[in-house]
Amino acid sequence: MAGRERGVVLRGLRAVAYAALPAEVVLLVLLVGGVPVPGVVLAGGEVVVGVLLVVEGGVWLRLRRRGFTRREALAELVPERVLRLVSHELRLMAALGRWAARRPHGTAGAEGVFPHAREQAALMYGFAFVCLVETVGMSWLLAGWPVVHAVVLVLDVYTVLFVLGLHAASVTRPHVLAGGRLRVRQAAHVDVAVPLDQIAAVRRENVFTHEKRDGELNLAVGSRTSVTLELSEPVDVVRLLGGVRAVSVIRLHADDPTALYEAVRGAVSEGVTPG
């Protein structure tokens, strides 16, 4: 498939998807709300979605045969920002399962594991409780409007799961010292591997006010950071939607900031490569 031909096909598929998928959501809401929908409309919608999936599957296979990786082939079919947002949501939902199973992410073989979610727990639980109360209240108020009730209920339940997922991601994704790198993380959207040989200085300091500045990354928990890293060379930080920025100062927090500070300082000063 030539580049120009592939571009035309992909643009056409995306246009159909942008029209068909929202229509499917509307149909689903109508059905859940008990609104009668003509059989012809339902059948037509299912045929469109079925054909779209078959065609996209065929294009995906052709791209794979041309040497594209799975993610590269998927990125050709789905806009990068959409793909990143969906991946982020899936990571949050997966974090709920890891949280329940007490299975932290990325800690196998680590020389040091540093949790950082303790100080935000009360706030996140409180926020989730408020969302839950709002869910119950709106469900009672909208009981007489089935369609609106169904839509709001789905959104409210997902909001509760989203809030819990944010906290679960923070709990299950601690900072990790391993393989000559300090892996700095926050929830499911920040994951930066900092080489130890690029850490010029590490300081144990509490900072409660963080201004946005070029070249700085502030990963506050409960509005506080407790350890500051100064880098001899900047590292790239990938943002949620795919943007990249270089940072040379990283401020972060840990439940036991002294342990994190001493571990990083010891590894840097001794030139130790963990693992």
Side-chain angles (χ1 to χ4, degrees), residues 154-178:
V154 170
L155 293 176
D156 283 344
V157 170
Y158 185 76
T159 300
V160 174
L161 291 176
F162 182 85
V163 173
L164 292 175
L166 284 174
H167 183 57
S170 294
V171 172
T172 57
R173 293 171 178 264
H175 306 310
V176 175
L177 184 63

Side-chain angles (χ1 to χ4, degrees), residues 43-98:
E46 296 308 312
V47 168
V48 171
V49 172
V51 172
L52 178 63
L53 292 176
V54 170
V55 174
E56 288 195 339
V59 174
W60 187 83
L61 290 174
R62 293 184 67 178
L63 292 173
R64 290 283 290 139
R65 285 196 293 268
R66 294 191 59 193
F68 285 69
T69 65
R70 290 186 177 90
R71 185 173 180 84
E72 288 172 345
L74 186 60
E76 288 287 322
L77 296 169
V78 182
E80 181 183 3
R81 291 187 176 184
V82 175
L83 190 59
R84 285 186 171 276
L85 285 175
V86 172
S87 297
H88 178 258
E89 303 300 302
L90 293 176
R91 286 195 297 271
L92 292 184
M93 297 303 107
L96 289 171
R98 286 185 170 275

Side-chain angles (χ1 to χ4, degrees), residues 97-227:
R98 286 185 170 275
W99 189 24
R102 298 179 181 271
R103 293 180 56 194
H105 176 275
T107 59
E111 292 293 320
V113 176
F114 308 96
H116 54 80
R118 183 174 60 200
E119 293 188 10
Q120 73 174 24
L123 175 63
M124 299 303 289
Y125 291 149
F127 191 22
F129 178 74
V130 170
C131 292
L132 182 61
V133 171
E134 190 261 351
T135 299
V136 175
M138 292 302 294
S139 181
W140 180 76
L141 289 173
L142 298 174
W145 291 274
V147 176
V148 179
H149 175 271
V151 173
V152 174
L153 181 61
V154 170
L155 293 176
D156 283 344
V157 170
Y158 185 76
T159 300
V160 174
L161 291 176
F162 182 85
V163 173
L164 292 175
L166 284 174
H167 183 57
S170 294
V171 172
T172 57
R173 293 171 178 264
H175 306 310
V176 175
L177 184 63
R181 297 173 181 269
L182 176 63
R183 191 173 180 182
V184 176
R185 302 192 281 188
Q186 187 174 63
H189 62 283
V190 177
D191 194 335
V192 184
V194 182
L196 294 178
D197 58 9
Q198 290 182 213
I199 299 178
V202 54
R203 297 192 300 275
R204 170 73 173 87
E205 58 180 6
N206 291 320
V207 180
F208 296 92
T209 302
H210 304 89
E211 298 180 3
K212 290 185 178 181
R213 296 176 180 173
D214 291 340
E216 294 187 2
L217 176 64
N218 298 306
L219 303 178
V221 178
S223 301
R224 177 165 78 107
T225 57
S226 51
V227 176

